[in-house]
Amino acid sequence: MADGRRHPQPGDLIEIDRKVYQHWALYVGDGYVINVTPVDEGAPSLSVSTTSIFTRKAKVKKQLLKEVVGNNKWCVNNKYDRSRTPLPVKEIIRRAERWIDREVPYDVLGSNCEHFVTELRYGEGVSDQVTKAVIGTTAAVGGILLVGLATAVVKSLCGDSSRRERNYY
């Protein structure tokens, strides 16, 4: 659950509401966040999830929070703090800054923007929005078989992230 603060502290997770999904960034201080963006420099960071599905890559950028947010709503959301222990703030920032301007694998199901920032904060990449989307699809359609098929289709588009190493530190 979001804590509603509008004044993030270094190491905080920032949840940005988009029309179909949430984009995630890590606040590093002085108005800046680190987040994954499309590899194509001309593509806006707002479309990272749709653009990167097809490229299977994203680029880590340090940008002003207000530029990443645009006209969307956002909040500090360290929702996993109840079940995971955050790393020390200096370690979170050090790990994050090592990735600036580097390309990383991108996969909606296994290596998305939320996975990236939670790996930096907790040492483990997790994404509730993926879990909720899969469960929601199962409930709406009423069959696990269709979710399995949809997962296989998305993985074929994105590549199987289980075969790639992900270490965001």
Side-chain angles (χ1 to χ4, degrees):
M1 170 130 334
D3 69 15
R5 285 186 289 139
R6 295 296 290 184
H7 302 287
Q9 300 300 308
D12 279 343
L13 299 179
I14 306 296
E15 179 181 19
I16 304 161
D17 287 332
R18 303 286 192 236
K19 289 184 182 190
V20 181
Y21 65 97
Q22 287 76 44
H23 181 64
W24 290 83
L26 179 82
Y27 189 77
V28 293
D30 296 324
Y32 284 89
V33 295
I34 290 179
N35 71 129
V36 293
T37 65
V39 171
D40 176 17
E41 291 290 329
S45 63
L46 305 180
S47 64
V48 67
S49 289
T50 54
T51 302
S52 296
I53 283 174
F54 302 108
T55 64
R56 294 188 294 196
K57 292 185 210 172
K59 192 167 190 176
V60 179
K61 294 298 247 176
K62 182 176 180 180
Q63 299 174 287
L64 285 170
L65 173 61
K66 65 183 180 181
E67 290 176 3
V68 176
V69 169
N71 293 325
N72 295 287
K73 293 182 181 180
W74 67 275
C75 63
V76 171
N77 191 351
N78 297 320
K79 64 183 177 179
Y80 300 107
D81 282 7
R82 286 185 231 134
S83 59
R84 292 166 175 79
T85 303
L87 297 168
V89 172
K90 286 184 180 182
E91 177 69 8
I92 294 169
I93 303 306
R94 183 191 66 77
R95 290 163 51 109
E97 288 178 341
R98 289 180 59 198
W99 287 97
I100 295 172
D101 292 329
R102 291 177 58 187
E103 284 188 8
V104 294
Y106 187 90
D107 173 339
V108 172
L109 298 178
S111 187
N112 64 37
C113 57
E114 186 177 9
H115 288 107
F116 180 76
V117 297
T118 56
E119 176 81 26
L120 295 171
R121 183 171 172 84
Y122 305 106
E124 177 185 6
V126 289
S127 177
D128 271 356
Q129 67 181 331
V130 169
T131 305
K132 287 177 185 176
V134 170
I135 290 170
T137 302
T138 302
V141 175
I144 293 176
L145 183 60
L146 188 53
V147 170
L149 179 60
T151 300
V153 169
V154 171
K155 281 193 172 201
S156 71
L157 287 173
C158 299
D160 185 354
S161 66
S162 65
R163 288 184 264 161
R164 291 192 299 261
E165 282 187 37
R166 282 190 331 269
N167 291 315
Y168 303 118
Y169 52 84

